[in-house]
Amino acid sequence: MDLGLQGRWALVCASSKGLGRACAQSLVGEGVNVVITARGAEALERTAAELRALNPAVQVRAVAGDIATEAGRAAALAACPQVDILVNNAGGPPPGDFRDWDRAAWLAALEANMLTPIELIKATVDAMAERGFGRIVNITSGAVKAPIDTLGLSNGARSGLTGFVAGLARQPRLAGRNVTINNLLPGAFDTERLGKTMGAAAAKTGQTLEQVMAKRAAAIPAQRLGQAAEFGALCAMLCSAHAGYLTGQNILLDGGAYPGTF
Ligand code: NAP
């Protein structure tokens, strides 16, 4: 199916690796020009070169910077001639016990995983509505639906974003102008972040990384971790010209791990 996205411009945040990168890759494959961002310039430039090779017909612009800062957001927005598609993403907050988190830890989580996406939506959404096309996908987490106790910073900050988006997406001045806002909730995906989390669990319990990963996979009905490319493909579908009637939704991609009916 042609997703009808040729020539569009997308800002894909936090996208040198992992899920963000996979979203950029799927969009580039559909003929979308992209601005990609990350803090580390080296990996970012490598990814930009790979994306250019994948589809020489599109423009790929790389902007190094921290998307959770005002300067990082301004630079990313300035590099994108018009934002037709916005994929919000940033690194997840660290795990831990809430008794150890001070106000600064909470503010950092809110900044990265709630306020940054809201700022970027604010900067782009009304122009999308004026043009009659806009797609916003927020990468959140399965932990919004089934909270994980050690990820309290993530549970809290992302739930704040989720509640805000639920109201915003339903504004007729957006939904009625072909602007959709949805959240994609990853379960366990085989990315660098998950490798680090599992590496820490392995070190703590004296198991090998392979043992920890095998146990994690066995607990998922699909019997495996998700692949980033699967996530990117669904992101591109949500951004497609055909998905204009799908808005305000939380879509879980977890191989069946969430046990509820709804
Ligand atoms: P990843 O493999 O660690 O990749 C994260 C990417 O984001 C990298 O390109 C990183 O580059 C960039 N990044 C991180 N913080 C940034 C910032 N402040 N500004 C700009 N770029 C930034 O992580 P992932 O697994 O793709 O996870 C993406 C998001 O999904 C995270 O919020 C994570 O918590 C969430 N999530 C992931 C899973 C999973 O199983 N993988 C499950 C649930 C939720 P630099 O470090 O160079 O900036």
Side-chain angles (χ1 to χ4, degrees), residues 13-20 37-41 65-68 89-93 112-113 139-142 154 158 186-194 196:
C13 305
S15 47
S16 65
K17 300 176 188 169
L19 305 179
T37 86
R39 292 162 304 182
D66 185 343
I67 202 69
N89 186 32
N113 300 110
I139 300 180
T140 64
S141 173
S154 171
R158 295 189 203 274
F189 275 80
D190 191 5
T191 64
E192 202 172 294
R193 172 170 165 97
L194 197 77
K196 277 185 196 155

PDB file of all heavy atoms in Angstrom, residues 13-20 37-41 65-68 89-93 112-113 139-142 154 158 186-194 196, ligand 1:
ATOM      1  N   CYS A  13      12.261  12.854  16.665  1.00  0.00           N
ATOM      2  CA  CYS A  13      13.159  13.189  17.786  1.00  0.00           C
ATOM      3  C   CYS A  13      13.838  11.940  18.332  1.00  0.00           C
ATOM      4  O   CYS A  13      13.262  10.846  18.304  1.00  0.00           O
ATOM      5  CB  CYS A  13      12.359  13.845  18.906  1.00  0.00           C
ATOM      6  SG  CYS A  13      11.438  15.286  18.375  1.00  0.00           S
ATOM      7  N   ALA A  14      15.042  12.132  18.840  1.00  0.00           N
ATOM      8  CA  ALA A  14      15.792  11.057  19.509  1.00  0.00           C
ATOM      9  C   ALA A  14      15.862   9.816  18.620  1.00  0.00           C
ATOM     10  O   ALA A  14      15.300   8.763  18.943  1.00  0.00           O
ATOM     11  CB  ALA A  14      15.163  10.741  20.865  1.00  0.00           C
ATOM     12  N   SER A  15      16.548   9.969  17.497  1.00  0.00           N
ATOM     13  CA  SER A  15      16.394   8.956  16.446  1.00  0.00           C
ATOM     14  C   SER A  15      17.706   8.456  15.835  1.00  0.00           C
ATOM     15  O   SER A  15      17.706   7.992  14.700  1.00  0.00           O
ATOM     16  CB  SER A  15      15.488   9.534  15.354  1.00  0.00           C
ATOM     17  OG  SER A  15      15.887  10.846  15.010  1.00  0.00           O
ATOM     18  N   SER A  16      18.821   8.540  16.578  1.00  0.00           N
ATOM     19  CA  SER A  16      20.044   7.944  16.023  1.00  0.00           C
ATOM     20  C   SER A  16      20.041   6.431  16.212  1.00  0.00           C
ATOM     21  O   SER A  16      20.744   5.707  15.511  1.00  0.00           O
ATOM     22  CB  SER A  16      21.300   8.549  16.665  1.00  0.00           C
ATOM     23  OG  SER A  16      21.380   8.229  18.039  1.00  0.00           O
ATOM     24  N   LYS A  17      19.250   5.960  17.177  1.00  0.00           N
ATOM     25  CA  LYS A  17      19.223   4.522  17.498  1.00  0.00           C
ATOM     26  C   LYS A  17      17.800   4.093  17.841  1.00  0.00           C
ATOM     27  O   LYS A  17      16.919   4.930  18.012  1.00  0.00           O
ATOM     28  CB  LYS A  17      20.087   4.258  18.745  1.00  0.00           C
ATOM     29  CG  LYS A  17      21.540   4.634  18.610  1.00  0.00           C
ATOM     30  CD  LYS A  17      22.256   4.426  19.938  1.00  0.00           C
ATOM     31  CE  LYS A  17      23.664   5.003  19.855  1.00  0.00           C
ATOM     32  NZ  LYS A  17      24.311   5.059  21.165  1.00  0.00           N
ATOM     33  N   GLY A  18      17.634   2.800  17.977  1.00  0.00           N
ATOM     34  CA  GLY A  18      16.428   2.238  18.586  1.00  0.00           C
ATOM     35  C   GLY A  18      15.133   2.550  17.863  1.00  0.00           C
ATOM     36  O   GLY A  18      15.054   2.569  16.634  1.00  0.00           O
ATOM     37  N   LEU A  19      14.095   2.810  18.659  1.00  0.00           N
ATOM     38  CA  LEU A  19      12.744   2.960  18.120  1.00  0.00           C
ATOM     39  C   LEU A  19      12.611   4.228  17.284  1.00  0.00           C
ATOM     40  O   LEU A  19      11.956   4.221  16.235  1.00  0.00           O
ATOM     41  CB  LEU A  19      11.726   2.970  19.275  1.00  0.00           C
ATOM     42  CG  LEU A  19      11.781   1.750  20.214  1.00  0.00           C
ATOM     43  CD1 LEU A  19      10.747   1.881  21.325  1.00  0.00           C
ATOM     44  CD2 LEU A  19      11.562   0.454  19.426  1.00  0.00           C
ATOM     45  N   GLY A  20      13.239   5.310  17.732  1.00  0.00           N
ATOM     46  CA  GLY A  20      13.176   6.564  16.974  1.00  0.00           C
ATOM     47  C   GLY A  20      13.806   6.393  15.603  1.00  0.00           C
ATOM     48  O   GLY A  20      13.265   6.830  14.580  1.00  0.00           O
ATOM     49  N   THR A  37      17.331  13.657  15.240  1.00  0.00           N
ATOM     50  CA  THR A  37      18.093  14.292  16.319  1.00  0.00           C
ATOM     51  C   THR A  37      18.624  13.253  17.294  1.00  0.00           C
ATOM     52  O   THR A  37      18.085  12.152  17.405  1.00  0.00           O
ATOM     53  CB  THR A  37      17.231  15.304  17.133  1.00  0.00           C
ATOM     54  OG1 THR A  37      16.534  14.598  18.165  1.00  0.00           O
ATOM     55  CG2 THR A  37      16.239  16.061  16.279  1.00  0.00           C
ATOM     56  N   ALA A  38      19.681  13.641  17.997  1.00  0.00           N
ATOM     57  CA  ALA A  38      20.229  12.863  19.122  1.00  0.00           C
ATOM     58  C   ALA A  38      21.293  13.745  19.760  1.00  0.00           C
ATOM     59  O   ALA A  38      21.754  14.715  19.144  1.00  0.00           O
ATOM     60  CB  ALA A  38      20.846  11.545  18.658  1.00  0.00           C
ATOM     61  N   ARG A  39      21.698  13.398  20.975  1.00  0.00           N
ATOM     62  CA  ARG A  39      22.749  14.186  21.627  1.00  0.00           C
ATOM     63  C   ARG A  39      24.117  13.836  21.048  1.00  0.00           C
ATOM     64  O   ARG A  39      24.942  14.695  20.800  1.00  0.00           O
ATOM     65  CB  ARG A  39      22.710  13.957  23.139  1.00  0.00           C
ATOM     66  CG  ARG A  39      21.471  14.542  23.791  1.00  0.00           C
ATOM     67  CD  ARG A  39      21.226  13.952  25.141  1.00  0.00           C
ATOM     68  NE  ARG A  39      21.121  12.494  25.070  1.00  0.00           N
ATOM     69  CZ  ARG A  39      20.876  11.696  26.083  1.00  0.00           C
ATOM     70  NH1 ARG A  39      20.728  12.203  27.283  1.00  0.00           N
ATOM     71  NH2 ARG A  39      20.783  10.390  25.919  1.00  0.00           N
ATOM     72  N   GLY A  40      24.351  12.555  20.818  1.00  0.00           N
ATOM     73  CA  GLY A  40      25.659  12.111  20.319  1.00  0.00           C
ATOM     74  C   GLY A  40      25.754  12.307  18.808  1.00  0.00           C
ATOM     75  O   GLY A  40      25.029  11.656  18.044  1.00  0.00           O
ATOM     76  N   ALA A  41      26.674  13.191  18.373  1.00  0.00           N
ATOM     77  CA  ALA A  41      26.740  13.557  16.948  1.00  0.00           C
ATOM     78  C   ALA A  41      27.246  12.406  16.078  1.00  0.00           C
ATOM     79  O   ALA A  41      26.808  12.255  14.935  1.00  0.00           O
ATOM     80  CB  ALA A  41      27.627  14.778  16.776  1.00  0.00           C
ATOM     81  N   GLY A  65      21.776  17.512  19.422  1.00  0.00           N
ATOM     82  CA  GLY A  65      21.348  18.343  20.552  1.00  0.00           C
ATOM     83  C   GLY A  65      20.408  17.581  21.456  1.00  0.00           C
ATOM     84  O   GLY A  65      19.884  16.529  21.077  1.00  0.00           O
ATOM     85  N   ASP A  66      20.209  18.142  22.637  1.00  0.00           N
ATOM     86  CA  ASP A  66      19.324  17.520  23.627  1.00  0.00           C
ATOM     87  C   ASP A  66      17.909  18.045  23.410  1.00  0.00           C
ATOM     88  O   ASP A  66      17.635  19.232  23.625  1.00  0.00           O
ATOM     89  CB  ASP A  66      19.836  17.884  25.038  1.00  0.00           C
ATOM     90  CG  ASP A  66      19.057  17.174  26.127  1.00  0.00           C
ATOM     91  OD1 ASP A  66      17.941  16.677  25.846  1.00  0.00           O
ATOM     92  OD2 ASP A  66      19.560  17.115  27.257  1.00  0.00           O
ATOM     93  N   ILE A  67      17.024  17.159  22.995  1.00  0.00           N
ATOM     94  CA  ILE A  67      15.655  17.579  22.651  1.00  0.00           C
ATOM     95  C   ILE A  67      14.895  18.037  23.908  1.00  0.00           C
ATOM     96  O   ILE A  67      13.872  18.719  23.803  1.00  0.00           O
ATOM     97  CB  ILE A  67      14.910  16.438  21.895  1.00  0.00           C
ATOM     98  CG1 ILE A  67      13.733  16.969  21.073  1.00  0.00           C
ATOM     99  CG2 ILE A  67      14.469  15.332  22.840  1.00  0.00           C
ATOM    100  CD1 ILE A  67      14.073  17.788  19.894  1.00  0.00           C
ATOM    101  N   ALA A  68      15.411  17.675  25.066  1.00  0.00           N
ATOM    102  CA  ALA A  68      14.755  18.078  26.316  1.00  0.00           C
ATOM    103  C   ALA A  68      15.139  19.502  26.736  1.00  0.00           C
ATOM    104  O   ALA A  68      14.744  19.948  27.811  1.00  0.00           O
ATOM    105  CB  ALA A  68      15.080  17.086  27.427  1.00  0.00           C
ATOM    106  N   ASN A  89       9.972  11.676  20.925  1.00  0.00           N
ATOM    107  CA  ASN A  89      10.717  10.605  21.596  1.00  0.00           C
ATOM    108  C   ASN A  89      11.861  11.238  22.367  1.00  0.00           C
ATOM    109  O   ASN A  89      12.328  12.334  22.029  1.00  0.00           O
ATOM    110  CB  ASN A  89      11.274   9.632  20.535  1.00  0.00           C
ATOM    111  CG  ASN A  89      11.931   8.409  21.135  1.00  0.00           C
ATOM    112  OD1 ASN A  89      11.531   7.924  22.199  1.00  0.00           O
ATOM    113  ND2 ASN A  89      12.948   7.891  20.468  1.00  0.00           N
ATOM    114  N   ALA A  90      12.290  10.570  23.418  1.00  0.00           N
ATOM    115  CA  ALA A  90      13.485  10.969  24.187  1.00  0.00           C
ATOM    116  C   ALA A  90      13.867   9.754  25.010  1.00  0.00           C
ATOM    117  O   ALA A  90      13.079   8.806  25.126  1.00  0.00           O
ATOM    118  CB  ALA A  90      13.185  12.155  25.093  1.00  0.00           C
ATOM    119  N   GLY A  91      15.040   9.771  25.571  1.00  0.00           N
ATOM    120  CA  GLY A  91      15.443   8.656  26.421  1.00  0.00           C
ATOM    121  C   GLY A  91      14.502   8.534  27.608  1.00  0.00           C
ATOM    122  O   GLY A  91      13.899   9.514  28.047  1.00  0.00           O
ATOM    123  N   GLY A  92      14.355   7.310  28.103  1.00  0.00           N
ATOM    124  CA  GLY A  92      13.480   7.098  29.263  1.00  0.00           C
ATOM    125  C   GLY A  92      14.210   7.424  30.558  1.00  0.00           C
ATOM    126  O   GLY A  92      15.436   7.350  30.620  1.00  0.00           O
ATOM    127  N   PRO A  93      13.462   7.796  31.610  1.00  0.00           N
ATOM    128  CA  PRO A  93      14.086   8.084  32.908  1.00  0.00           C
ATOM    129  C   PRO A  93      14.687   6.810  33.523  1.00  0.00           C
ATOM    130  O   PRO A  93      14.270   5.708  33.165  1.00  0.00           O
ATOM    131  CB  PRO A  93      12.919   8.573  33.767  1.00  0.00           C
ATOM    132  CG  PRO A  93      11.739   8.697  32.888  1.00  0.00           C
ATOM    133  CD  PRO A  93      11.997   7.913  31.647  1.00  0.00           C
ATOM    134  N   ALA A 112      11.730  15.717  29.971  1.00  0.00           N
ATOM    135  CA  ALA A 112      12.030  14.876  28.800  1.00  0.00           C
ATOM    136  C   ALA A 112      10.796  14.157  28.258  1.00  0.00           C
ATOM    137  O   ALA A 112      10.612  14.063  27.047  1.00  0.00           O
ATOM    138  CB  ALA A 112      13.108  13.853  29.157  1.00  0.00           C
ATOM    139  N   ASN A 113       9.966  13.631  29.150  1.00  0.00           N
ATOM    140  CA  ASN A 113       8.924  12.697  28.703  1.00  0.00           C
ATOM    141  C   ASN A 113       7.501  13.253  28.749  1.00  0.00           C
ATOM    142  O   ASN A 113       6.567  12.561  28.388  1.00  0.00           O
ATOM    143  CB  ASN A 113       9.014  11.392  29.508  1.00  0.00           C
ATOM    144  CG  ASN A 113      10.359  10.709  29.333  1.00  0.00           C
ATOM    145  OD1 ASN A 113      11.171  10.665  30.254  1.00  0.00           O
ATOM    146  ND2 ASN A 113      10.624  10.230  28.129  1.00  0.00           N
ATOM    147  N   ILE A 139       6.068   8.473  21.212  1.00  0.00           N
ATOM    148  CA  ILE A 139       6.547   7.174  21.705  1.00  0.00           C
ATOM    149  C   ILE A 139       6.494   7.244  23.226  1.00  0.00           C
ATOM    150  O   ILE A 139       7.198   8.061  23.842  1.00  0.00           O
ATOM    151  CB  ILE A 139       7.987   6.884  21.219  1.00  0.00           C
ATOM    152  CG1 ILE A 139       8.029   6.853  19.680  1.00  0.00           C
ATOM    153  CG2 ILE A 139       8.479   5.567  21.810  1.00  0.00           C
ATOM    154  CD1 ILE A 139       9.404   6.572  19.088  1.00  0.00           C
ATOM    155  N   THR A 140       5.620   6.442  23.827  1.00  0.00           N
ATOM    156  CA  THR A 140       5.513   6.450  25.290  1.00  0.00           C
ATOM    157  C   THR A 140       6.003   5.105  25.823  1.00  0.00           C
ATOM    158  O   THR A 140       7.161   4.763  25.621  1.00  0.00           O
ATOM    159  CB  THR A 140       4.088   6.821  25.748  1.00  0.00           C
ATOM    160  OG1 THR A 140       3.156   5.835  25.324  1.00  0.00           O
ATOM    161  CG2 THR A 140       3.690   8.190  25.218  1.00  0.00           C
ATOM    162  N   SER A 141       5.132   4.320  26.435  1.00  0.00           N
ATOM    163  CA  SER A 141       5.584   3.034  26.975  1.00  0.00           C
ATOM    164  C   SER A 141       4.387   2.191  27.382  1.00  0.00           C
ATOM    165  O   SER A 141       3.359   2.737  27.815  1.00  0.00           O
ATOM    166  CB  SER A 141       6.465   3.267  28.210  1.00  0.00           C
ATOM    167  OG  SER A 141       6.756   2.031  28.825  1.00  0.00           O
ATOM    168  N   GLY A 142       4.556   0.878  27.280  1.00  0.00           N
ATOM    169  CA  GLY A 142       3.541  -0.035  27.801  1.00  0.00           C
ATOM    170  C   GLY A 142       3.301   0.218  29.283  1.00  0.00           C
ATOM    171  O   GLY A 142       2.236  -0.128  29.823  1.00  0.00           O
ATOM    172  N   SER A 154       8.979   7.199  34.888  1.00  0.00           N
ATOM    173  CA  SER A 154       8.413   7.010  33.550  1.00  0.00           C
ATOM    174  C   SER A 154       6.894   6.897  33.635  1.00  0.00           C
ATOM    175  O   SER A 154       6.162   7.568  32.889  1.00  0.00           O
ATOM    176  CB  SER A 154       9.021   5.745  32.923  1.00  0.00           C
ATOM    177  OG  SER A 154       8.366   5.410  31.726  1.00  0.00           O
ATOM    178  N   ARG A 158       4.940   9.978  31.759  1.00  0.00           N
ATOM    179  CA  ARG A 158       4.264   9.577  30.513  1.00  0.00           C
ATOM    180  C   ARG A 158       2.747   9.574  30.683  1.00  0.00           C
ATOM    181  O   ARG A 158       2.006   9.830  29.723  1.00  0.00           O
ATOM    182  CB  ARG A 158       4.759   8.203  30.072  1.00  0.00           C
ATOM    183  CG  ARG A 158       6.243   8.180  29.701  1.00  0.00           C
ATOM    184  CD  ARG A 158       6.567   6.845  29.081  1.00  0.00           C
ATOM    185  NE  ARG A 158       7.952   6.454  29.144  1.00  0.00           N
ATOM    186  CZ  ARG A 158       8.896   6.785  28.270  1.00  0.00           C
ATOM    187  NH1 ARG A 158       8.604   7.591  27.279  1.00  0.00           N
ATOM    188  NH2 ARG A 158      10.120   6.318  28.388  1.00  0.00           N
ATOM    189  N   PRO A 186       5.471   1.036  23.365  1.00  0.00           N
ATOM    190  CA  PRO A 186       6.276  -0.176  23.203  1.00  0.00           C
ATOM    191  C   PRO A 186       6.254  -1.056  24.444  1.00  0.00           C
ATOM    192  O   PRO A 186       6.316  -0.558  25.568  1.00  0.00           O
ATOM    193  CB  PRO A 186       7.690   0.374  22.957  1.00  0.00           C
ATOM    194  CG  PRO A 186       7.700   1.751  23.523  1.00  0.00           C
ATOM    195  CD  PRO A 186       6.282   2.251  23.508  1.00  0.00           C
ATOM    196  N   GLY A 187       6.155  -2.362  24.201  1.00  0.00           N
ATOM    197  CA  GLY A 187       6.445  -3.332  25.265  1.00  0.00           C
ATOM    198  C   GLY A 187       7.957  -3.535  25.247  1.00  0.00           C
ATOM    199  O   GLY A 187       8.716  -2.569  25.180  1.00  0.00           O
ATOM    200  N   ALA A 188       8.408  -4.784  25.244  1.00  0.00           N
ATOM    201  CA  ALA A 188       9.855  -5.045  25.264  1.00  0.00           C
ATOM    202  C   ALA A 188      10.400  -5.132  23.841  1.00  0.00           C
ATOM    203  O   ALA A 188      10.051  -6.052  23.088  1.00  0.00           O
ATOM    204  CB  ALA A 188      10.136  -6.342  26.009  1.00  0.00           C
ATOM    205  N   PHE A 189      11.236  -4.173  23.467  1.00  0.00           N
ATOM    206  CA  PHE A 189      11.858  -4.157  22.135  1.00  0.00           C
ATOM    207  C   PHE A 189      13.359  -4.303  22.276  1.00  0.00           C
ATOM    208  O   PHE A 189      13.968  -3.741  23.193  1.00  0.00           O
ATOM    209  CB  PHE A 189      11.521  -2.848  21.388  1.00  0.00           C
ATOM    210  CG  PHE A 189      10.213  -2.929  20.675  1.00  0.00           C
ATOM    211  CD1 PHE A 189       9.027  -2.747  21.370  1.00  0.00           C
ATOM    212  CD2 PHE A 189      10.158  -3.242  19.328  1.00  0.00           C
ATOM    213  CE1 PHE A 189       7.800  -2.856  20.726  1.00  0.00           C
ATOM    214  CE2 PHE A 189       8.946  -3.354  18.671  1.00  0.00           C
ATOM    215  CZ  PHE A 189       7.758  -3.159  19.373  1.00  0.00           C
ATOM    216  N   ASP A 190      13.923  -5.033  21.340  1.00  0.00           N
ATOM    217  CA  ASP A 190      15.352  -5.344  21.362  1.00  0.00           C
ATOM    218  C   ASP A 190      16.163  -4.133  20.894  1.00  0.00           C
ATOM    219  O   ASP A 190      16.541  -4.038  19.734  1.00  0.00           O
ATOM    220  CB  ASP A 190      15.593  -6.550  20.435  1.00  0.00           C
ATOM    221  CG  ASP A 190      16.987  -7.094  20.612  1.00  0.00           C
ATOM    222  OD1 ASP A 190      17.715  -6.596  21.499  1.00  0.00           O
ATOM    223  OD2 ASP A 190      17.351  -8.015  19.861  1.00  0.00           O
ATOM    224  N   THR A 191      16.390  -3.187  21.807  1.00  0.00           N
ATOM    225  CA  THR A 191      17.178  -1.987  21.493  1.00  0.00           C
ATOM    226  C   THR A 191      18.297  -1.855  22.522  1.00  0.00           C
ATOM    227  O   THR A 191      18.354  -2.617  23.482  1.00  0.00           O
ATOM    228  CB  THR A 191      16.307  -0.719  21.566  1.00  0.00           C
ATOM    229  OG1 THR A 191      15.875  -0.565  22.924  1.00  0.00           O
ATOM    230  CG2 THR A 191      15.099  -0.785  20.652  1.00  0.00           C
ATOM    231  N   GLU A 192      19.134  -0.842  22.295  1.00  0.00           N
ATOM    232  CA  GLU A 192      20.255  -0.625  23.213  1.00  0.00           C
ATOM    233  C   GLU A 192      19.765  -0.380  24.642  1.00  0.00           C
ATOM    234  O   GLU A 192      20.342  -0.870  25.606  1.00  0.00           O
ATOM    235  CB  GLU A 192      21.061   0.590  22.716  1.00  0.00           C
ATOM    236  CG  GLU A 192      22.469   0.609  23.226  1.00  0.00           C
ATOM    237  CD  GLU A 192      23.275   1.713  22.552  1.00  0.00           C
ATOM    238  OE1 GLU A 192      23.497   1.620  21.336  1.00  0.00           O
ATOM    239  OE2 GLU A 192      23.664   2.666  23.256  1.00  0.00           O
ATOM    240  N   ARG A 193      18.661   0.376  24.743  1.00  0.00           N
ATOM    241  CA  ARG A 193      18.144   0.673  26.090  1.00  0.00           C
ATOM    242  C   ARG A 193      17.762  -0.607  26.820  1.00  0.00           C
ATOM    243  O   ARG A 193      18.103  -0.796  27.987  1.00  0.00           O
ATOM    244  CB  ARG A 193      16.937   1.607  26.018  1.00  0.00           C
ATOM    245  CG  ARG A 193      16.262   1.784  27.384  1.00  0.00           C
ATOM    246  CD  ARG A 193      15.227   2.871  27.403  1.00  0.00           C
ATOM    247  NE  ARG A 193      14.363   2.787  28.581  1.00  0.00           N
ATOM    248  CZ  ARG A 193      14.542   3.485  29.691  1.00  0.00           C
ATOM    249  NH1 ARG A 193      15.561   4.276  29.832  1.00  0.00           N
ATOM    250  NH2 ARG A 193      13.685   3.389  30.697  1.00  0.00           N
ATOM    251  N   LEU A 194      17.037  -1.483  26.120  1.00  0.00           N
ATOM    252  CA  LEU A 194      16.607  -2.723  26.781  1.00  0.00           C
ATOM    253  C   LEU A 194      17.823  -3.567  27.147  1.00  0.00           C
ATOM    254  O   LEU A 194      17.869  -4.179  28.214  1.00  0.00           O
ATOM    255  CB  LEU A 194      15.655  -3.507  25.874  1.00  0.00           C
ATOM    256  CG  LEU A 194      14.858  -4.559  26.630  1.00  0.00           C
ATOM    257  CD1 LEU A 194      13.727  -3.908  27.416  1.00  0.00           C
ATOM    258  CD2 LEU A 194      14.286  -5.596  25.687  1.00  0.00           C
ATOM    259  N   LYS A 196      20.721  -2.507  28.003  1.00  0.00           N
ATOM    260  CA  LYS A 196      21.339  -1.940  29.220  1.00  0.00           C
ATOM    261  C   LYS A 196      20.548  -2.343  30.460  1.00  0.00           C
ATOM    262  O   LYS A 196      21.112  -2.734  31.477  1.00  0.00           O
ATOM    263  CB  LYS A 196      21.387  -0.406  29.112  1.00  0.00           C
ATOM    264  CG  LYS A 196      22.587   0.088  28.330  1.00  0.00           C
ATOM    265  CD  LYS A 196      22.648   1.601  28.360  1.00  0.00           C
ATOM    266  CE  LYS A 196      23.587   2.116  27.281  1.00  0.00           C
ATOM    267  NZ  LYS A 196      23.285   3.478  26.869  1.00  0.00           N
TER     268      LYS A 196
HETATM  269  P1  NAP B   1      17.656   3.633  22.753  1.00  0.00           P
HETATM  270  O1  NAP B   1      17.902   2.429  21.961  1.00  0.00           O
HETATM  271  O2  NAP B   1      18.506   3.912  23.965  1.00  0.00           O
HETATM  272  O3  NAP B   1      17.714   4.915  21.783  1.00  0.00           O
HETATM  273  C1  NAP B   1      17.438   6.186  22.289  1.00  0.00           C
HETATM  274  C2  NAP B   1      17.711   7.219  21.210  1.00  0.00           C
HETATM  275  O4  NAP B   1      17.275   8.488  21.697  1.00  0.00           O
HETATM  276  C3  NAP B   1      19.183   7.387  20.863  1.00  0.00           C
HETATM  277  O5  NAP B   1      19.294   7.760  19.521  1.00  0.00           O
HETATM  278  C4  NAP B   1      19.600   8.529  21.797  1.00  0.00           C
HETATM  279  O6  NAP B   1      20.781   9.151  21.315  1.00  0.00           O
HETATM  280  C5  NAP B   1      18.378   9.418  21.701  1.00  0.00           C
HETATM  281  N1  NAP B   1      18.148  10.297  22.850  1.00  0.00           N
HETATM  282  C6  NAP B   1      17.979   9.936  24.140  1.00  0.00           C
HETATM  283  N2  NAP B   1      17.757  11.014  24.910  1.00  0.00           N
HETATM  284  C7  NAP B   1      17.792  12.093  24.073  1.00  0.00           C
HETATM  285  C8  NAP B   1      17.621  13.487  24.266  1.00  0.00           C
HETATM  286  N3  NAP B   1      17.395  13.988  25.485  1.00  0.00           N
HETATM  287  N4  NAP B   1      17.709  14.310  23.180  1.00  0.00           N
HETATM  288  C9  NAP B   1      17.933  13.809  21.954  1.00  0.00           C
HETATM  289  N5  NAP B   1      18.098  12.490  21.714  1.00  0.00           N
HETATM  290  C10 NAP B   1      18.030  11.642  22.760  1.00  0.00           C
HETATM  291  O7  NAP B   1      16.147   3.675  23.335  1.00  0.00           O
HETATM  292  P2  NAP B   1      14.805   2.961  22.750  1.00  0.00           P
HETATM  293  O8  NAP B   1      14.745   1.574  23.265  1.00  0.00           O
HETATM  294  O9  NAP B   1      14.695   3.224  21.315  1.00  0.00           O
HETATM  295  O10 NAP B   1      13.678   3.764  23.563  1.00  0.00           O
HETATM  296  C11 NAP B   1      13.029   4.911  23.049  1.00  0.00           C
HETATM  297  C12 NAP B   1      11.974   5.342  24.059  1.00  0.00           C
HETATM  298  O11 NAP B   1      11.028   4.279  24.231  1.00  0.00           O
HETATM  299  C13 NAP B   1      12.552   5.632  25.451  1.00  0.00           C
HETATM  300  O12 NAP B   1      11.856   6.695  26.043  1.00  0.00           O
HETATM  301  C14 NAP B   1      12.274   4.338  26.197  1.00  0.00           C
HETATM  302  O13 NAP B   1      12.189   4.533  27.599  1.00  0.00           O
HETATM  303  C15 NAP B   1      10.930   3.946  25.608  1.00  0.00           C
HETATM  304  N6  NAP B   1      10.658   2.513  25.760  1.00  0.00           N
HETATM  305  C16 NAP B   1      11.466   1.590  25.210  1.00  0.00           C
HETATM  306  C17 NAP B   1      11.172   0.249  25.391  1.00  0.00           C
HETATM  307  C18 NAP B   1      12.044  -0.854  24.803  1.00  0.00           C
HETATM  308  O14 NAP B   1      11.782  -2.022  25.055  1.00  0.00           O
HETATM  309  N7  NAP B   1      13.048  -0.554  24.028  1.00  0.00           N
HETATM  310  C19 NAP B   1      10.051  -0.129  26.137  1.00  0.00           C
HETATM  311  C20 NAP B   1       9.233   0.852  26.676  1.00  0.00           C
HETATM  312  C21 NAP B   1       9.545   2.184  26.487  1.00  0.00           C
HETATM  313  P3  NAP B   1      21.757   9.966  22.309  1.00  0.00           P
HETATM  314  O15 NAP B   1      21.910   9.127  23.532  1.00  0.00           O
HETATM  315  O16 NAP B   1      23.010  10.157  21.532  1.00  0.00           O
HETATM  316  O17 NAP B   1      21.053  11.264  22.605  1.00  0.00           O
END
